[in-house]
Amino acid sequence: MKKIDLKYYSFVDDKYIVRLGNGHEYEFKQERQAKAFLVKTSKYLTEQLNFSNHIFTNVILTYRQNYLLFSPNSGKRQADVYQAERDINDFINAIHKSLEKAIWMGSTNNGNYIVFSAFYYVCYALRNICANLNVLAERQKLTSLKYQLSSYQREINLIETSLNEFEQMKAVRIFERARYTDIESINMAKVV
């Protein structure tokens, strides 16, 4: 099974420090504690990977079930419909790449940061897919699709909130968290 495996921590001033991409820094007196925290964090992030993949699968399924409705109405705003479809396909491909980066680059030196950046991007992209599908729902007056998209939005918000608040009370410092745009500049060729 694919999983997230964080391994990186640093040793500064007789303390073991773990920095995560959600903007939180943790200090430990013993190396064993830092490694245990990374194991716990890796399990949590693997769970988030599972949730993200589940929502991603459902969003793709919803898109494909409504795929035939992405047809412009007799010349009215054709460009909007075609652009929404192109955007959805671009976001689907980008989500796949981001999740792959989270899995394969998690154990690198910047893995603690990359994984969160990947998840933030996935949340951003899923929201945009839902927004594009919502345009279609409004145009075709598909009430059930609107409710389904609203449910996906709530699930996406739960994932992002959970990432932001992970072990927040144990953090000793807060710094700037990973941005969803950071994942686009990360090259996977450096991993091999």
Side-chain angles (χ1 to χ4, degrees), residues 12-192:
V12 179
D13 297 329
D14 294 330
K15 294 177 193 157
Y16 294 89
I17 298 174
V18 176
R19 293 183 90 185
L20 298 179
N22 63 352
H24 300 142
E25 183 176 301
Y26 308 88
E27 289 182 358
F28 303 95
K29 293 178 181 177
Q30 299 174 353
E31 183 179 25
R32 179 180 51 83
Q33 293 172 323
K35 286 182 178 180
F37 179 76
L38 286 172
V39 168
K40 178 182 177 181
T41 304
S42 295
K43 286 180 183 177
Y44 163 78
L45 290 171
T46 300
E47 186 178 279
Q48 296 307 308
L49 176 69
N50 188 15
F51 293 154
S52 298
N53 190 58
H54 177 72
I55 295 171
F56 180 43
T57 304
N58 287 336
V59 168
I60 291 174
L61 180 63
T62 301
Y63 165 59
R64 293 308 297 183
Q65 286 173 337
N66 294 285
Y67 175 75
L68 296 176
L69 298 175
F70 273 93
S71 175
N73 304 357
S74 64
K76 296 179 185 174
R77 300 188 315 186
Q78 279 185 321
D80 294 343
V81 174
Y82 291 133
Q83 185 61 49
E85 190 171 12
R86 279 192 302 273
D87 288 345
I88 288 172
N89 288 319
D90 288 345
F91 282 125
I92 288 171
N93 291 330
I95 289 171
H96 175 73
K97 289 178 185 175
S98 292
L99 291 175
E100 286 297 312
K101 287 179 184 178
I103 293 165
W104 295 110
M105 297 186 78
S107 61
T108 64
N109 285 350
N110 292 326
N112 299 7
Y113 188 85
I114 292 169
V115 172
F116 280 88
S117 180
F119 282 126
Y120 289 136
Y121 181 81
V122 167
C123 290
Y124 165 80
L126 286 171
R127 279 192 187 103
N128 278 292
I129 292 172
C130 289
N132 282 310
L133 286 171
N134 199 37
V135 169
L136 178 67
E138 292 289 334
R139 177 185 293 249
Q140 301 286 344
K141 297 182 180 20
L142 303 170
T143 306
S144 64
L145 177 58
K146 285 172 46 176
Y147 290 136
Q148 197 172 16
L149 295 172
S150 177
S151 172
Y152 295 151
Q153 291 281 16
R154 282 192 299 277
E155 290 179 46
I156 295 164
N157 289 341
L158 285 174
I159 288 174
E160 189 170 34
T161 301
S162 177
L163 289 169
N164 288 335
E165 295 175 354
F166 175 72
E167 295 293 333
Q168 186 175 13
M169 298 304 289
K170 294 180 181 177
V172 293
R173 274 182 276 309
I174 297 177
F175 58 95
E176 185 177 340
R177 74 173 177 88
R179 297 175 305 256
Y180 67 86
T181 55
D182 294 340
I183 197 68
E184 295 168 347
S185 63
I186 296 168
N187 184 359
M188 291 232 337
K190 296 177 184 175
V191 176
V192 181

